[in-house]
Amino acid sequence: MGENKRLSFPFDVEETEPEEKSEIKRLFNYPKIDLTRVGPKGYVMPRPYIEQAENIYNLSIRPSDVFVASFQRAGTTWTQELVWLVANDFDYETALSVPINHRYPFLEIYMLFTEWRNDCLKNVDIMKSKEQKEKLFKMLEVNSQPVTEKLEAMPSPRFIKTHLPMSFLPPTIVDTAKVIYVARDPRDIAVSCYHHARLLKILDFVGEFKDFWKLFVNDCFIRTPYFEHVKEAWNMRHHPNMLFLFYEELTKDLPAVVRRVANFLGKEVTPKQMARLCDHLSFENFKKNKSVNYEDLREVDAVTPNETFIRKGKVNGWRDYFDKDMAQQAKRWIEDNLRGTDLRFPHVIG
């Protein structure tokens, strides 16, 4: 977009309700989480997001750009690695040596790290070593600065990760760039988000899963409402520049998804390349791959020691967390939100 065509961010921002703020403060140990609601669907966003919302909305999109988009914890990292390797002619040397967050700038990551960065810098002297301080400064530089300026300076092709709903992204995105969106059963999303909120010290969730589920199903967690997020992408799925995937498809038939991605990107995959890629992306190998596990956060004590970024990768793992009442509530919630749509999650047990 040229300067003369700069658009105003089209959505209003509202404060979350006092009782929601109180519950969030009770359940999240990090005291500076301040959430707002954005737009008519009421997407829950950290306040720092608002500072850069218009810049993101006006990001100059290039035809060579590839976006991997999703609601968080939908299999995004797995999809990113698959897409990057297919698009980059299976360059495993780079994939294994360059962390995925350096290969894919995360469009709105700054909104989670802004306040945490300020606190870290105030308390940096308590850190034990010069090496750890240097790693901290490097991590903060990557994660707390707005990504739009960095993207403008990046050479093409650019690979970009986002968990923003499609309506928050530049209006020309699917007319210009390639977008791969991945969705997942919301019950498994909730379980994975719960562990992720416990993992990251910028959130530091201290409640039980039942507490988290209540926030999630009532659209009080970051980037909810979930179904509105997915529907926005689902409604674009027939656009030639949008590829809509389900996490459950990747787990059931990874080669079929690889072929779909390759076709979408105009690439060929030989049987030998397919075999190596599927081995590289196998859960056992993926979980051990330091390039995709955000080890830079662990090195600077930004994550809790008893949680991991790549966790279990199970389909229907939610059954280990939901009691009977929660399962019935979830079933009704899903039915209510899918009513009147043709959106269905494949290979999922109800």
Side-chain angles (χ1 to χ4, degrees):
M1 296 180 186
E3 287 184 18
N4 295 331
K5 295 184 179 179
R6 186 172 176 86
L7 302 172
S8 297
F9 185 64
F11 302 118
D12 293 331
V13 179
E14 295 182 0
E15 297 298 318
T16 50
E17 295 295 329
E19 57 270 23
E20 293 174 347
K21 285 183 181 292
S22 176
E23 185 70 353
I24 289 166
K25 186 176 181 180
R26 181 179 76 85
L27 293 172
F28 290 87
N29 220 13
Y30 185 61
K32 296 188 179 178
I33 295 174
D34 188 10
L35 302 179
T36 63
R37 290 194 178 273
V38 182
K41 296 173 183 175
Y43 287 111
V44 176
M45 303 298 291
R47 190 173 299 280
Y49 164 73
I50 309 305
E51 298 170 8
Q52 295 292 325
E54 187 169 298
N55 288 337
I56 292 173
Y57 197 69
N58 284 277
L59 178 69
S60 180
I61 304 295
R62 305 173 190 171
S64 57
D65 288 341
V66 178
F67 285 78
V68 173
S70 68
F71 192 90
Q72 60 259 43
R73 311 304 293 171
T76 321
T77 308
W78 203 20
T79 306
Q80 285 177 261
E81 186 78 340
L82 188 167
V83 168
W84 193 92
L85 282 164
V86 170
N88 287 278
D89 301 319
F90 306 98
D91 181 3
Y92 291 98
E93 182 178 356
T94 300
L96 290 167
S97 61
V98 179
I100 199 163
N101 54 323
H102 292 266
R103 287 180 276 139
Y104 278 85
F106 184 180
L107 194 53
E108 70 277 11
I109 186 62
Y110 70 91
M111 71 181 190
L112 294 175
F113 276 85
T114 301
E115 293 294 342
W116 196 77
R117 171 187 181 273
N118 293 337
D119 283 355
C120 280
L121 294 180
K122 287 178 187 175
N123 298 308
V124 70
D125 288 338
I126 67 173
M127 302 186 72
K128 294 181 179 179
S129 70
K130 180 181 177 181
E131 182 183 8
Q132 193 175 31
K133 289 179 186 179
E134 289 175 351
K135 287 180 178 179
L136 173 67
F137 292 144
K138 184 177 180 180
M139 184 275 289
L140 291 175
E141 182 182 358
V142 170
N143 290 320
S144 64
Q145 298 301 314
V147 173
T148 49
E149 296 171 13
K150 185 190 304 182
L151 285 170
E152 293 292 352
M154 280 184 66
S156 298
R158 302 180 301 186
F159 295 82
I160 303 167
K161 168 188 172 179
T162 185
H163 292 316
L164 294 176
M166 295 302 299
S167 58
F168 287 9
L169 298 172
T172 61
I173 186 169
V174 291
D175 292 327
T176 308
K178 297 281 190 183
V179 180
I180 297 101
Y181 185 96
V182 58
R184 186 182 186 185
D185 184 318
R187 295 165 293 192
D188 283 333
I189 290 267
V191 169
S192 192
C193 281
Y194 161 68
H195 283 282
H196 199 56
R198 286 161 51 93
L199 168 73
L200 296 177
K201 290 188 177 180
I202 51 176
L203 297 176
D204 201 6
F205 185 80
V206 295
E208 301 298 326
F209 175 70
K210 188 171 284 191
D211 299 312
F212 185 87
W213 170 247
K214 184 178 178 181
L215 291 178
F216 191 85
V217 77
N218 289 307
D219 301 333
C220 293
F221 184 61
I222 297 168
R223 301 186 187 91
T224 57
Y226 173 74
F227 281 103
E228 294 301 327
H229 197 294
V230 175
K231 287 175 187 176
E232 287 192 17
W234 180 252
N235 291 338
M236 296 179 173
R237 71 193 183 281
H238 297 307
H239 193 290
N241 282 342
M242 167 67 84
L243 178 63
F244 192 103
L245 303 174
F246 287 100
Y247 179 83
E248 292 78 14
E249 294 173 328
L250 275 84
T251 61
K252 185 177 183 182
D253 193 345
L254 183 57
V257 175
V258 171
R259 285 189 287 270
R260 288 178 63 195
V261 169
N263 183 62
F264 181 67
L265 298 175
K267 295 286 187 175
E268 298 288 335
V269 183
T270 67
K272 185 176 180 180
Q273 289 169 332
M274 177 70 79
R276 183 175 180 187
L277 180 60
C278 289
D279 180 65
H280 178 80
L281 293 173
S282 68
F283 186 77
E284 181 181 348
N285 287 332
F286 205 64
K287 191 175 177 67
K288 294 184 293 187
N289 183 349
K290 291 185 178 181
S291 183
V292 300
N293 272 282
Y294 293 83
E295 290 300 310
D296 56 336
L297 297 181
R298 193 170 300 282
E299 289 172 359
V300 296
D301 198 32
V303 295
T304 57
N306 56 338
E307 295 280 357
T308 56
F309 187 81
I310 305 296
R311 212 174 56 82
K312 292 188 176 180
K314 290 175 63 176
V315 171
N316 291 314
W318 62 268
R319 291 183 171 277
D320 297 333
Y321 291 79
F322 283 61
D323 61 28
K324 184 176 180 181
D325 289 341
M326 292 166 68
Q328 290 176 344
Q329 179 196 27
K331 186 173 185 293
R332 290 192 301 269
W333 176 63
I334 293 170
E335 289 172 350
D336 288 345
N337 279 281
L338 295 184
R339 190 171 294 118
T341 79
D342 56 359
L343 172 61
R344 298 293 182 271
F345 294 88
H347 320 305
V348 170
I349 301 170

